[in-house]
């Protein structure tokens, strides 16, 4: 890769994706399980549904597909370069440079939250806390659709797309348990899939996609008033 000042050292998430820019879209835009997840979600959302795309990247394909389906889309990303690309490529959505750990909307602000791979460059404690916070941003009956690379690891150094990064993740069972027990969500679907990126610098990956829903108070057995 062209030396952007990050070669030979561990980079932050912002540095990683600022450096990758449109290269990330080219490598991962044709991810069948992700496209299926967005299709599943949009089939359940009405026009004007408020959707948050966490780690929105270049805006493609997720925010773009959501906006085309008539959703009111907000994307957040820690990378300023990604936010600039997304704002240009998906003008019908709104994008903000923000670390999800600092994002603080009112509870119940969104009808759905998409979170495709934004948690892996956090500690496991941070990732678990972020999942809980995202669940709280859902309106009752709202959906959380996520993806991760499942592994029982904490703060492991890897080389990914020619950059050195530190990553953490959860096993399949623990990731699903977090959503069910800690977040209080109904996990409607979870499945593993294999993916080969369109870039030789990224190795084949195993992905875990989950579709979950925040129960309504009546479904929880709470008084409806």
């Amino acid at each position: 890769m062209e030396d952007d000042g990050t070669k030979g050292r561990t980079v932050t998430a912002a540095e990683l994706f600022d450096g990758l820019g449109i290269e990330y879209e080219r490598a991962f835009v044709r991810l069948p399980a992700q496209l299926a997840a967005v299709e599943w979600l949009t089939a359940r959302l009405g026009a004007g549904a408020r959707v948050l795309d966490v780690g929105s990247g270049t805006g493609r394909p997720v925010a773009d597909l959501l906006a085309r389906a008539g959703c009111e889309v907000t994307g957040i990303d820690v990378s300023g370069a990604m936010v600039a690309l997304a704002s240009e490529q998906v003008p019908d959505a709104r994008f903000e440079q923000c670390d999800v750990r600092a994002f603080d909307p009112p509870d119940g602000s969104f009808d759905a939250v998409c979170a495709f791979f934004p948690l892996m460059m956090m500690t496991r404690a941070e990732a678990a806390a972020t999942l809980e916070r995202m669940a709280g941003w859902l309106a009752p009956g709202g959906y959380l659709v996520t993806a991760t690379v499942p592994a029982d690891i904490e703060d492991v150094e890897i080389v990914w797309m020619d950059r050195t990064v530190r990553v953490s993740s959860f096993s399949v069972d623990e990731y699903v348990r977090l959503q069910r027990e800690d977040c209080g969500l109904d996990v409607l679907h979870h499945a593993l899939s294999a993916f080969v990126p369109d870039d030789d610098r990224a190795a084949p990956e195993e992905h875990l996609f989950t579709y979950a829903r925040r129960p309504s108070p009546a479904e929880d057995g709470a008084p409806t008033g």
Side-chain angles (χ1 to χ4, degrees), residues 40 142-145 179 185-189 210-214:
W40 179 92
Y143 296 98
L144 176 64
V145 181
Q179 294 187 53
L185 301 175
D186 294 329
V187 179
L188 308 175
H189 168 84
T210 66
Y211 308 167
R213 181 176 176 271
R214 180 178 181 176

Side-chain angles (χ1 to χ4, degrees), residues 20-39:
L20 286 174
I22 199 69
E23 297 173 46
Y24 179 76
E25 178 182 313
R26 291 169 181 156
F28 287 90
V29 71
R30 289 182 291 276
L31 205 172
Q34 184 179 57
L35 299 176
V38 177
E39 182 179 8

Side-chain angles (χ1 to χ4, degrees), residues 20-83:
L20 286 174
I22 199 69
E23 297 173 46
Y24 179 76
E25 178 182 313
R26 291 169 181 156
F28 287 90
V29 71
R30 289 182 291 276
L31 205 172
Q34 184 179 57
L35 299 176
V38 177
E39 182 179 8
W40 179 92
L41 180 62
T42 55
R44 286 156 178 80
L45 298 176
R50 303 158 300 165
V51 184
L52 177 67
D53 183 12
V54 178
S56 47
T58 68
R60 293 178 178 165
V62 178
D64 186 40
L65 291 171
L66 292 167
R68 291 176 185 271
C71 298
E72 180 184 308
V73 183
T74 300
I76 60 170
D77 201 286
V78 72
S79 164
M82 289 297 195
V83 168

Side-chain angles (χ1 to χ4, degrees), residues 104-152:
D104 193 27
D107 284 356
S109 293
F110 296 98
D111 300 301
V113 175
C114 294
F116 297 122
F117 310 103
L119 306 178
M120 297 192 65
M121 291 182 68
M122 302 181 187
T123 67
R124 289 206 283 197
E126 289 173 329
T130 299
L131 276 172
E132 287 193 59
R133 293 177 65 239
M134 290 192 296
W137 300 338
L138 294 172
Y143 296 98
L144 176 64
V145 181
T146 79
T148 190
V149 177
D152 187 11

Side-chain angles (χ1 to χ4, degrees), residues 29 63 103 154 222:
V29 71
F103 192 61
E154 174 83 34

